[in-house]
Amino acid sequence: MLFQVGGEGTRPTFFEMAAAQQLPASLRAALTYSLGVFALRRSFLHKILDYEDEFFAALMLILEGHSLRTTDASFAESLYGLRRKSVRLRLRKDSVRKDSGEEVQHSGLEKRQRILSVVFLVVLPYFKSKLHAIYNKEREARLRESLWGAEDPGFDEADFFTGDDSIVSREPSGNEELSVRVQLATKIKKFIAVCYPWIHASSEGLSFTYQLLYLLDATGFYSLGLQALGIQVCRATGQELMDTSSRISKIRNHERERLRGPPWLKTVQGALLSCSYAVLDYAQTGLIAAVFIFKMMEWWYQSAEERLSAPTVYPPPPPPPAPKMAIEGIPLPPNRSLCALCLQTRANPSVVTVSGFVFCYSCVFKYVSKYKRCPVTLIPASVDQIRRLFHDT
């Protein structure tokens, strides 16, 4: 079996399909980097970066919808001269050899296929990025819980300066009983944290399988989504490229003819349509230039020679062993989230740097001030060697 690496026929090569698939990711990286640079001088752009997923999804929704409507191809596929065509399999019989086979017939995309193509190109990747973000937050929350416990009250300096020895819960009274909506959201997030790795692994496995079969010329579909929609990607012929230009002109003329109202209103509406068409054309050109510039900068700042000459990155060394607990020291409680001094949930967790053990700030401050040592290991310490531990809430 031969790999398909040539450029003959209407079937795109594996490298063309891979390049078209990776173009949206490169486009998003280029836009994010550009907005990050401009946001250093224009602070209002940070609001766009805060909603990066929604901004990019809306942009791709406009581009993909316009491209599928005018060229029967996605935005990336149209740049590589590719077209999407509906596939119909017809049973073929040979009367001489008395065998049968399947003949593939291509036709233009239907309206349903264009809408579902937008769903697979824009909507599903958007939800996947959101699920990935929720999974990362839940994983970080579990890590924080394992380090600091399920509850971590905020730092209140009033208790320290007043010398109150009692540990008072600082949680608002309204959070004692979670509402039904919060409980449901928490269960959904936990369910996503459990199921998302399996969903992601299955998706990546199916994608790899289809790409491998496409590379081996065992299937005409590059992905499961294309096969579900009954669509194959083909190279555009010269006549199809010429027909695309005339098709775009016909669509725009037809939209101008559908304008209703007084003559002056038609003139205004026509001018707005022309401006929107110009914006779309310039946006496509600008996005192509942005990707090209981003790739040039990536190549310029990270050349092959630099990567080859870079020093070998070794894994970090293992952490040092835990200090031995003194026999006369204070024993540690079985629950790691409790303070060894007050045996309650740690409030304002703080670490003694000479030993690494964590206590309540007020508890360990008073103990070290009085005894000048770590409560557990009895290693000499001072209040200057107490450090507060912070984490994102």
Side-chain angles (χ1 to χ4, degrees):
M1 183 177 295
L2 298 177
F3 294 98
Q4 182 192 8
V5 296
E8 298 179 357
T10 60
R11 176 187 168 93
T13 64
F14 172 81
F15 303 102
E16 289 176 307
M17 296 297 296
Q21 185 184 31
Q22 293 297 325
L23 184 62
S26 300
L27 176 61
R28 178 169 183 169
L31 289 177
T32 304
Y33 177 79
S34 302
L35 289 175
V37 173
F38 287 117
L40 297 176
R41 294 180 176 271
R42 300 291 184 270
S43 59
F44 68 91
L45 293 177
H46 284 289
K47 296 181 180 180
I48 299 178
L49 294 176
D50 293 338
Y51 298 94
E52 176 186 346
D53 294 333
E54 289 75 11
F55 170 74
F56 187 76
L59 176 63
M60 294 306 297
L61 182 64
I62 297 173
L63 293 177
E64 299 291 2
H66 175 72
S67 181
L68 286 168
R69 183 186 179 189
T70 56
T71 63
D72 278 349
S74 67
F75 173 70
E77 291 164 355
S78 63
L79 297 180
Y80 287 92
L82 306 178
R83 295 293 182 269
R84 294 191 171 201
K85 296 183 179 181
S86 180
V87 177
R88 292 183 177 85
L89 299 179
R90 189 180 65 180
L91 193 62
R92 179 180 60 188
K93 294 184 178 181
D94 192 344
S95 58
V96 179
R97 297 184 180 181
K98 296 182 180 181
D99 58 356
S100 60
E102 290 182 347
E103 181 181 1
V104 179
Q105 290 184 340
H106 293 125
S107 60
L109 294 181
E110 301 175 356
K111 184 178 181 179
R112 176 186 63 86
Q113 291 176 324
R114 292 192 182 95
I115 296 175
L116 292 178
S117 294
V118 173
V119 172
F120 275 87
L121 291 170
V122 180
V123 180
L124 292 184
Y126 169 75
F127 282 111
K128 183 179 179 181
S129 64
K130 285 299 181 183
L131 291 177
H132 187 72
I134 294 174
Y135 170 73
N136 286 336
K137 289 182 179 179
E138 287 296 314
R139 185 177 61 178
E140 293 175 0
R142 290 183 179 182
L143 180 60
R144 291 197 302 266
E145 184 177 349
S146 64
L147 294 176
W148 289 288
E151 298 178 355
D152 184 25
F155 178 71
D156 190 0
E157 297 180 355
D159 293 342
F160 167 70
F161 288 109
T162 55
D164 188 7
D165 294 338
S166 62
I167 305 300
V168 182
S169 176
R170 301 173 180 83
E171 293 187 357
S173 59
N175 293 335
E176 293 179 356
E177 295 182 359
L178 296 176
S179 62
V180 178
R181 182 181 301 179
V182 175
Q183 291 179 356
L184 180 61
T186 304
K187 291 181 180 180
I188 292 176
K189 290 180 179 179
K190 291 183 178 180
F191 178 77
I192 292 175
V194 174
C195 297
Y196 177 76
W198 298 98
I199 297 174
H200 181 70
S202 302
S203 174
E204 294 296 324
L206 286 174
S207 178
F208 173 77
T209 302
Y210 269 87
Q211 292 177 11
L212 181 62
L213 293 176
Y214 188 87
L215 178 64
L216 299 176
D217 204 6
T219 181
F221 301 98
Y222 186 76
S223 65
L224 177 63
L226 292 176
Q227 185 171 10
L229 297 178
I231 294 174
Q232 283 187 355
V233 180
C234 306
R235 281 200 187 96
T237 61
Q239 185 62 37
E240 289 176 342
L241 294 175
M242 295 175 62
D243 293 341
T244 300
S245 301
S246 60
R247 179 181 180 183
I248 295 175
S249 301
K250 290 180 180 179
I251 292 175
R252 294 181 177 180
N253 292 331
H254 179 67
E255 290 180 351
R256 290 189 179 94
E257 293 175 356
R258 293 174 58 186
L259 298 177
R260 295 290 184 270
W264 65 270
L265 183 59
K266 290 184 179 180
T267 304
V268 174
Q269 292 175 347
L272 292 176
L273 278 177
S274 301
C275 292
S276 63
Y277 296 148
V279 169
L280 281 174
D281 294 338
Y282 282 116
Q284 292 180 351
T285 305
L287 290 175
I288 298 171
V291 173
F292 176 76
I293 294 174
F294 177 76
K295 288 298 182 181
M296 283 292 296
M297 293 177 62
E298 188 179 32
W299 170 82
W300 181 265
Y301 288 104
Q302 192 179 7
S303 61
E305 294 80 2
E306 183 181 357
R307 290 194 299 268
L308 291 175
S309 61
T312 305
V313 179
Y314 296 99
K324 295 182 180 181
M325 294 183 293
I327 299 176
E328 298 178 356
I330 297 176
L332 295 176
N335 189 352
R336 294 185 178 181
S337 63
L338 300 181
C339 175
L341 295 173
C342 63
L343 298 180
Q344 297 186 20
T345 302
R346 287 193 297 263
N348 309 319
S350 302
V351 61
V352 181
T353 58
V354 296
S355 62
F357 289 101
V358 182
F359 311 90
C360 297
Y361 182 82
S362 58
C363 297
V364 70
F365 186 88
K366 295 173 183 177
Y367 184 93
V368 174
S369 299
K370 182 177 181 180
Y371 296 103
K372 307 296 183 182
R373 65 187 183 184
C374 172
V376 178
T377 63
L378 303 184
I379 298 176
S382 64
V383 293
D384 295 334
Q385 294 173 319
I386 300 175
R387 296 290 184 272
R388 276 279 291 123
L389 299 178
F390 300 94
H391 64 88
D392 296 334
T393 57

